Amino acid sequence: MRSPRLFVEDLREGAATVRLGPREAHHLGTVLRLGPGARVRVFGSAAGEFEAEIRALDRRGVELALLGRIRPPQPARGPDLWFAPIRRQRLEWLIEKATELGVRRLVPVVTRHTVVEPRRPERLRLIAVEAAEQCGRLDVPDLAEPRPLFEALAQRPAERPLLFADERGDASPLLAALGRLGTEAVDLLVGPEGGFSEEERARLREMPEVVPVSLGPTILRAETAALFALSVVRAFAETRP
């Protein structure tokens, strides 16, 4: 049986013990029925992954003794995903699957056709944490505060290409665009359920760091478009030396 994995926000190399809260205690003690002496794994983006042993556990929390590092920290290399918030159930599914696919940062943006006001960021953060624990990655993607699209773009570093999924343009296929750029160090922008407005599309196409791309001949739902694009970028990255 694979050891349970727990994310520790402030995990530091050299620490002897860590103390986690009621969520982790409930998961270990009630769901998995583990107790003192059981082995688990803990991880954090700055320290890597460690084997640990449960020393004490009650409803208020769990104390773990760190036994040794299993994997060193690794830099987050996936793309940032810029997306317009969608309905709650589909948004939560998108956050979970994007985390599994290696997204580095989740950036919700408000566009003209955005119809859902983003809420409960703590819930979305928890979904990302649980997905990271399950899939084996060593970090949890950052979740930015929602902002209007062009206000957020004005603060974005321009040296990293932003691949804009343009469902109504004459853009090149995403994979072909990645091949021309010669790098997987890109970010992705997908629109809301109603698509981008003509004004937004025109402004995006005028920005030098924005690369319009096509995701195929059919119109995809917002969450499908995001996960398709992330999958293509990941597959492209894994074929490179």
Side-chain angles (χ1 to χ4, degrees):
M1 178 179 175
R2 187 173 63 175
S3 296
R5 301 178 76 243
L6 301 169
F7 174 66
V8 181
E9 185 82 50
D10 57 352
L11 184 63
R12 294 291 181 268
E13 185 177 2
T17 62
V18 294
R19 178 83 182 177
L20 302 177
R23 181 187 77 90
E24 293 83 1
H26 173 78
H27 180 67
L28 294 176
T30 304
V31 178
L32 299 180
R33 298 189 178 278
L34 300 179
R39 297 289 179 91
V40 299
R41 295 184 176 188
V42 296
F43 67 98
S45 56
E49 185 167 9
F50 290 76
E51 187 172 18
E53 181 180 287
I54 299 175
R55 288 289 175 84
L57 186 151
D58 57 30
R59 292 182 180 179
R60 295 169 296 177
V62 55
E63 182 178 305
L64 304 172
L66 300 185
L67 304 179
R69 188 159 69 178
I70 301 167
R71 289 194 289 167
Q74 300 172 0
R77 301 179 61 183
D80 293 359
L81 176 63
W82 293 57
F83 64 98
I86 53 179
R87 300 184 190 279
R88 181 180 62 83
Q89 186 174 5
R90 302 212 312 267
L91 176 59
E92 292 180 356
W93 186 77
L94 169 59
I95 298 297
E96 177 185 87
K97 300 310 174 187
T99 300
E100 293 175 10
L101 287 168
V103 71
R104 184 180 69 165
R105 187 166 176 256
L106 295 155
V107 186
V109 291
V110 179
T111 68
R112 181 174 180 181
H113 293 156
T114 299
V115 296
V116 178
E117 182 179 346
R119 297 177 180 175
R120 300 185 65 192
E122 68 283 353
R123 167 65 180 164
L124 299 181
R125 170 69 174 176
L126 178 58
I127 289 170
V129 167
E130 291 178 345
E133 291 174 341
Q134 183 275 330
C135 75
R137 63 183 287 174
L138 291 177
D139 65 322
V140 173
D142 293 332
L143 179 61
E145 289 290 329
R147 287 196 293 170
L149 172 61
F150 291 101
E151 177 184 312
L153 286 174
Q155 303 298 318
R156 179 184 177 274
E159 63 271 11
R160 189 174 169 104
L162 178 66
L163 276 55
F164 150 52
D166 186 359
E167 74 275 13
R168 288 185 290 171
D170 54 354
S172 298
L174 172 56
L175 188 58
L178 289 168
R180 285 198 306 272
L181 291 168
T183 179
E184 69 275 17
V186 299
D187 297 329
L188 301 166
L189 170 63
V190 296
E193 294 173 351
F196 292 103
S197 70
E198 289 299 327
E199 179 185 357
E200 288 168 337
R201 291 179 63 246
R203 289 184 64 182
L204 285 167
R205 282 175 166 262
E206 291 174 355
M207 301 177 71
E209 72 273 21
V210 172
V211 180
V213 296
S214 168
L215 302 184
T218 57
I219 301 298
L220 305 179
R221 297 184 76 151
E223 68 274 25
T224 308
L227 297 178
F228 174 82
L230 286 169
S231 299
V232 171
V233 173
R234 178 162 179 171
F236 177 79
E238 292 182 356
T239 63
R240 291 174 55 78

